């Protein structure tokens, strides 16, 4: 039986693997297909595609967009994206600028708290265009301002903590439209994590193609519940580990995997769109 892990991050956002390392780990896990879904970027896709081709692994170019709807943060996965699509690249650049400004604001808040972290240190560590809170946390640990990443979130960076800064996000409807115009499928990521159930019908109306039913942080009960919701709305089903490399003690890649039949359904939908 063939399996796929459809939710993976690299150094092009907040993962620790290079695209090549990611593919190596995918190979070790015996995966037949992977999708790269870095936050607000498709930059790692070309290298991941090349690395996959070298080992005859199927590759799906993707991204994970941070969006919101009705005051709810929602992550939208785009699959089979045209990574050269100019509208997509332009919007992505704008949201990367938002991310970079947010880093500066978080660092300023930390400075106010008497922690002399510098934004430059975070950017140097992140070394990508889509920096995020995990990079601030890692910089705090690296500079020995705090013992570990969990504590950095707990004390400073979590929502409601003193260095938390709200993020300007695109609307979910805009996100779905953006993915579609770049030839991709729009899938709601980890609904169990963001508690986005209430907004599913609105997104379905906007053309949402599917739900990520299987995810590292979904319990079996949750997965079953989302499978039911997907069936009810005639949505596609996806799943993945949301691996960020060694930002967790052991890489999660392959720990959540879906049978290849789910990938075939995604491909059928993309092909149907192109007709
Ligand atoms: Zn996410
Ligand atoms: Zn993710």
């Amino acid at each position: 039986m063939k399996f796929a892990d459809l939710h993976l991050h690299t150094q092009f956002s907040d993962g620790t693997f290079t695209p090549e390392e990611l593919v190596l780990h995918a190979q070790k896990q015996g995966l037949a297909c992977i999708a790269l879904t870095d936050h607000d970027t498709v930059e790692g896709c070309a290298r991941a595609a090349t690395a996959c081709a070298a080992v005859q692994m199927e590759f799906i170019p993707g991204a994970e967009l941070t969006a919101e709807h009705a005051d709810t943060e929602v992550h939208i996965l785009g699959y089979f994206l045209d990574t050269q699509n100019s509208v997509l690249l332009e919007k992505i650049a704008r949201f990367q600028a938002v991310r970079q400004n947010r880093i500066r604001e978080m660092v300023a808040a930390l400075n106010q708290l008497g922690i002399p972290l510098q934004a430059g240190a975070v950017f140097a560590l992140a070394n990508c265009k889509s920096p995020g809170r995990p990079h601030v946390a890692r910089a705090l640990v690296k500079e020995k301002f705090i013992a570990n990443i969990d504590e950095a979130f707990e004390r400073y960076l979590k929502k409601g903590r003193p260095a938390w800064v709200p993020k300007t996000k695109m609307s979910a409807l805009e996100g779905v439209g953006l993915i579609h115009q770049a030839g991709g499928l729009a899938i709601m990521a980890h609904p169990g994590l963001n508690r986005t159930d209430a907004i599913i019908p609105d997104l379905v109306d906007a053309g949402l193609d599917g739900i990520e039913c299987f995810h590292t942080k979904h319990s079996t009960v949750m997965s079953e519940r989302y499978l039911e919701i997907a069936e009810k709305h005639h949505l596609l089903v996806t799943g993945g580990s949301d691996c960020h490399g060694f930002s967790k003690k052991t890489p999660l890649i392959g720990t959540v995997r879906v049978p290849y039949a789910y990938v075939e359904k995604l491909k059928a939908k993309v092909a149907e769109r192109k007709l």
Side-chain angles (χ1 to χ4, degrees):
M1 199 129 142
K2 294 205 292 178
F3 289 95
D5 185 337
L6 302 174
H7 192 151
L8 300 163
H9 295 271
T10 68
Q11 288 176 358
F12 284 93
S13 65
D14 53 357
T16 66
F17 290 150
T18 62
E20 293 77 18
E21 286 165 349
L22 183 77
V23 174
L24 214 64
H25 281 272
Q27 219 186 346
K28 270 191 217 157
Q29 291 293 322
L31 296 167
C33 171
I34 59 166
L36 180 57
T37 55
D38 271 318
H39 297 284
D40 297 334
T41 184
V42 289
E43 231 188 324
C45 287
R47 275 172 56 184
T50 305
C52 278
V55 296
Q56 274 106 45
M57 190 181 297
E58 191 171 342
F59 178 69
I60 301 172
E64 180 174 22
L65 305 180
T66 305
E68 68 184 338
H69 183 76
D71 288 326
T72 306
E73 177 165 321
V74 54
H75 292 184
I76 306 171
L77 297 160
Y79 290 120
F80 298 100
L81 294 170
D82 168 9
T83 58
Q84 303 296 316
N85 181 273
S86 58
V87 179
L88 178 70
L89 294 178
E90 195 184 298
K91 281 271 167 67
I92 275 177
R94 205 176 308 160
F95 282 95
Q96 287 170 344
V98 167
R99 284 178 168 275
Q100 290 159 20
N101 284 334
R102 187 180 183 225
I103 298 288
R104 290 188 194 96
E105 288 177 44
M106 284 190 278
V107 168
L110 286 164
N111 293 163
Q112 291 263 307
L113 295 165
I115 298 161
L117 182 70
Q118 292 192 348
V122 180
F123 290 129
L125 181 143
N127 192 29
C128 74
K129 292 175 190 157
S130 282
R133 277 185 301 171
H135 295 123
V136 179
R138 283 178 216 162
L140 283 169
V141 174
K142 190 171 173 229
E143 310 262 316
K144 301 199 166 40
F145 292 125
I146 200 140
N148 60 61
I149 287 169
D150 287 342
E151 203 182 324
F153 273 90
E154 220 33 71
R155 282 181 63 182
Y156 303 116
L157 302 171
K158 228 168 80 161
K159 187 170 182 177
R161 293 289 185 259
W164 178 76
V165 173
K167 183 156 68 173
T168 316
K169 305 172 197 92
M170 75 176 88
S171 83
L173 307 193
E174 189 186 355
V176 170
L178 185 61
I179 288 165
H180 283 164
Q181 70 78 42
L185 297 175
I187 311 288
M188 183 186 273
H190 46 65
L193 191 61
N194 289 54
R195 299 176 204 283
T196 40
D197 292 19
I199 66 168
I200 291 174
D202 282 0
L203 265 66
V204 170
D205 287 345
L208 187 75
D209 297 295
I211 308 183
E212 185 178 54
C213 295
F214 303 99
H215 182 272
T216 306
K217 292 197 173 153
H218 280 184
S219 64
T220 310
V221 174
M222 269 185 199
S223 294
E224 278 166 9
R225 177 178 152 66
Y226 291 114
L227 284 169
E228 272 172 34
I229 292 175
E231 199 178 312
K232 183 177 148 207
H233 294 286
H234 310 289
L235 294 169
L236 293 162
V237 170
T238 71
S241 64
D242 211 351
C243 176
H244 284 72
F246 282 106
S247 67
K248 296 272 154 58
K249 280 187 192 79
T250 48
L252 294 171
I253 183 166
T255 55
V256 176
R257 52 179 75 198
V258 291
Y260 189 73
Y262 288 100
V263 176
E264 279 172 340
K265 286 190 181 155
L266 298 177
K267 284 159 86 171
K269 182 89 182 245
V270 172
E272 187 187 298
R273 281 256 166 85
K274 284 189 179 144
L275 288 178

